[in-house]
Amino acid sequence: MVYVLIIMLAGSGASVGSVEFNTKEACQAAAKAIADAGRPFAGASAITVCAAKG
């Protein structure tokens, strides 16, 4: 199964991008790394979602 990490900016609802992963664990690890980075997008908090594709 393929998992898609969707990255959105808090408050705007705008999607910044998405990345596909082969495992749920890899998707979750990437989401955690973005969360641990703090506020990398011009001071806005990033919201991440891992969703199964297909």
Side-chain angles (χ1 to χ4, degrees):
M1 175 148 317
V2 174
Y3 291 86
V4 179
L5 173 64
I6 302 166
I7 306 164
M8 300 169 284
L9 294 181
S12 71
S15 177
V16 173
S18 63
V19 182
E20 293 185 356
F21 294 90
N22 291 329
T23 66
K24 184 176 182 179
E25 292 77 15
C27 187
Q28 290 174 335
K32 184 175 180 340
I34 291 169
D36 290 346
R39 298 175 182 258
F41 299 103
S45 295
I47 299 171
T48 58
V49 177
C50 285
K53 181 179 178 183

